[in-house]
Amino acid sequence: MDLSGCAVVGIGRTAYTRRSGRTGLALAAEAVRAALDDCGLTAADVDGITCFSTGDSASPLRVAHAIGIDDIGWAVGIHAGGNAVATVIANAAAAVITGQAETVVVYRVLDASVRYGKVTAEVSVGGVEQFAGPHGYLVPPQWFAMWARRHQHVYGSTCEDLGAIAINGRNHAANNPHAIARDPISLDDYLAGRMVVEPFRVFDCAYEVDGAVALVLTTAERAADLRHPAVHPIGAADSTGAGGMPDLWDDQTAMYSRDAAPRLWARTGLSPADIDVACMYDCFTYTIMATFEDYGFCGKGEVGDYFREGRATYGGDVVVNPHGGLLSEGYLHGLNHHYEAVLQLRGQAGARQVPDAELALVTAGAGPYGGAIVYSSRRP
Amino acid sequence: MNASQGPAVDRSALRPPQPAPDVDTAPFWEATASGHLSICRCQQCGLWLQPPLERCRRCAASTAFEPVSGDGTVSTFIIQRQPAVVGFFDKVPYAVALVDLAEQPGLRLPGRIVDIDPDDVAIGMRARARIDALAGGDFHLPVFVPVD
Ligand SMILES: [Zn+2]
């Protein structure tokens, strides 16, 4: 795999708010325009557009139209959640490298009509969820609380370990003016947090917001003439198991990354020790715990100590979620992690800049499915 | 005062999620309606299949539903403390487990653990299915009762 003929050249986003009072289409158009402005391109330069969604989003066709494009050569919507972020970007890179499009926009938007943590209206549920919903078991915090409990049972991990992950991200978010939650928390604060679905407290769960984020990808050649240093995707890997059904996964102490990580490191020739910044998908604190182990940053059951000892922050081994992640910056379904990685590798992250950041791991997804991309500040 | 606000909705009166069976899953709900737990099984290689499939995922042979013991083990569980799912807003706290059925490793159903204080539920606990009526409609579903 070689994605290095492609580069991320532009990044854009809206404010992240609890309630914007705006449509998804309006938010997406703003983020895409911001990403184009960032690199000095215009809508006339865009010949590809893609997003992932669970049927909730302004479609690529409508967003292209909304920013004034009348002829879009490559428009691809993927029905998926955060598991597909790496896939979508790798597909966009492949489209650029193979000449299906020269300049591709990737975006994700969430508006107030989408909140995954609760189901408040009467529903009939089909598919595998018909066996779960009637038990009052239907939303992602419940699925992953099951996983976290299993890890606690098998490896002796604790709520304090999950708290160490939440605290690390919140401390980072204090340096991020764009984050929705910026007040640092102590372990006491964490433990005093409302228990939502045991073993998850409120601080274990992503902070759902309204907002949109967009990236612009183009050829490495064209990138050289644009405004900012190019950031190159240098490898990607995915895995889906158990048909994407969280309850059916054979070992809930590990995630998709158990299978995707060896693939990623083999394709890139890298190892965890090479990574400067790790934007870890964190729909829940436990997602970081399980995937951090799977990607090989530490052994099973060691994540709590790793974070408590300062190894996941500035001056440590790798800075995990300098922006605060989905837990504290806001739940943009993981595309905001890519925005942060690009900012860090450009050296433009301001007060939260990771010194000399050259390689960033960005993970996507949780449970039985997901993937990752490694970005480099240099074309290999 | 917000003049546009309608009358307060009594959320506790809302129905819990109801199953929407398809042709592959309907026999599961037909069995529970008659008081039994039945699971889809390959008629050639014997593999139990949950969720059900028209044909076996291992050997592609035809499948049929067969009764199971209902005996299982708690693989993991949650205690829902805050309202999250319609029909259960006034039911917290409640425990839901992933129960591994005795018939085959990894043959798993989610289900509420009942007749026990949620704080006393534990991984590894043995439990047995009991068919209860589901509020708000004609469906019945398997809940799990701890056994000694
Ligand atoms: Zn078979």
Side-chain angles (χ1 to χ4, degrees), chain A residues 252-280:
Chain A
Q252 294 179 323
T253 68
M255 290 187 169
Y256 75 89
S257 30
R258 168 185 83 181
D259 302 314
R263 215 171 278 159
L264 181 74
W265 300 133
R267 287 176 182 175
T268 58
L270 298 170
S271 74
D274 297 313
I275 300 298
D276 303 303
V277 180
C279 293
M280 305 293 295

Side-chain angles (χ1 to χ4, degrees), chain A residues 118-119 121-125 130-131 133-136 142 145-146 149-150 153 194-198 247 249, chain B residues 14-15 17-18 20 25 29 50-51 75-84 86 88 94 96 108 112 123 142:
Chain A
K118 279 188 180 179
V119 175
E122 291 187 345
V123 287
S124 290
V125 283
Q130 72 189 272
F131 302 102
H135 292 282
Q142 300 177 314
M146 291 278 193
R149 173 90 68 180
R150 184 74 198 168
H153 177 75
R194 193 167 75 250
M195 189 65 90
V196 177
V197 49
E198 195 178 311
D247 292 347
W249 185 250
Chain B
L14 297 175
R15 294 192 311 167
Q18 302 290 305
T25 65
W29 299 109
Q50 170 57 28
S75 170
T76 185
F77 69 100
I78 56 173
I79 303 173
Q80 189 67 41
R81 299 280 182 190
Q82 296 291 322
V86 62
F88 290 85
Y94 60 93
V96 181
R108 184 175 291 168
R112 249 171 310 123
I123 289 177

Side-chain angles (χ1 to χ4, degrees), chain A residues 1-327:
Chain A
M1 168 181 276
D2 180 10
L3 298 176
S4 62
C6 172
V8 182
V9 293
I11 52 178
R13 60 187 177 185
T14 65
Y16 303 156
T17 63
R18 288 187 206 194
R19 184 168 281 271
S20 64
R22 299 168 67 195
T23 62
L25 185 59
L27 293 166
E30 181 187 332
V32 171
R33 286 194 174 108
L36 291 168
D37 287 346
D38 176 59
C39 56
L41 295 175
T42 70
D45 297 302
V46 175
D47 58 355
I49 188 165
T50 186
C51 83
F52 62 98
S53 81
T54 56
D56 53 80
S57 176
S59 74
L61 307 178
R62 291 296 308 280
V63 173
H65 179 264
I67 62 167
I69 298 175
D70 287 316
D71 168 25
I72 189 84
W74 188 84
V76 177
I78 292 183
H79 186 91
N83 57 299
V85 193
T87 319
V88 168
I89 294 172
N91 280 355
V96 168
I97 290 164
T98 58
Q100 296 175 75
E102 185 181 26
T103 300
V104 176
V105 167
V106 181
Y107 69 91
R108 178 69 173 122
V109 57
L110 289 159
D111 63 53
S113 66
V114 188
R115 290 293 184 264
Y116 291 105
K118 279 188 180 179
V119 175
T120 56
E122 291 187 345
V123 287
S124 290
V125 283
V128 70
E129 290 172 353
Q130 72 189 272
F131 302 102
H135 292 282
Y137 175 57
L138 193 58
V139 293
Q142 300 177 314
W143 306 338
F144 291 106
M146 291 278 193
W147 292 57
R149 173 90 68 180
R150 184 74 198 168
H151 193 284
Q152 292 179 351
H153 177 75
V154 175
Y155 292 104
S157 60
T158 63
C159 286
E160 286 76 6
D161 293 343
L162 296 177
I165 295 169
I167 291 164
N168 193 65
R170 184 60 63 87
N171 286 343
H172 291 171
N175 285 322
N176 177 7
H178 215 77
I180 189 88
R182 300 185 59 199
D183 294 333
I185 52 171
S186 67
L187 183 59
D188 285 344
D189 296 331
Y190 168 83
L191 292 171
R194 193 167 75 250
M195 189 65 90
V196 177
V197 49
E198 195 178 311
F200 283 164
R201 292 171 169 81
V202 62
F203 295 112
D204 292 304
C205 303
Y207 203 127
E208 294 195 272
V209 295
D210 285 13
V213 58
L215 312 180
V216 180
L217 283 70
T218 192
T219 62
E221 289 69 29
R222 190 165 193 190
D225 299 329
L226 295 175
R227 186 173 291 159
H228 298 291
V231 172
H232 300 273
I234 59 170
D238 272 34
S239 178
T240 293
M245 295 177 278
D247 292 347
L248 300 188
W249 185 250
D250 59 344
D251 177 5
Q252 294 179 323
T253 68
M255 290 187 169
Y256 75 89
S257 30
R258 168 185 83 181
D259 302 314
R263 215 171 278 159
L264 181 74
W265 300 133
R267 287 176 182 175
T268 58
L270 298 170
S271 74
D274 297 313
I275 300 298
D276 303 303
V277 180
C279 293
M280 305 293 295
Y281 193 84
D282 55 340
C283 46
F284 305 98
T285 49
Y286 175 66
T287 309
I288 290 185
M289 178 179 283
T291 59
F292 203 69
E293 293 172 347
D294 289 342
Y295 281 102
F297 288 98
C298 67
K300 299 300 289 185
E302 296 174 0
V303 173
D305 284 341
Y306 190 104
F307 276 66
R308 273 186 294 272
E309 290 164 7
R311 297 174 65 187
T313 189
Y314 301 83
D317 295 20
V318 60
V319 180
V320 175
N321 289 355
H323 56 326
L326 306 178
L327 296 167

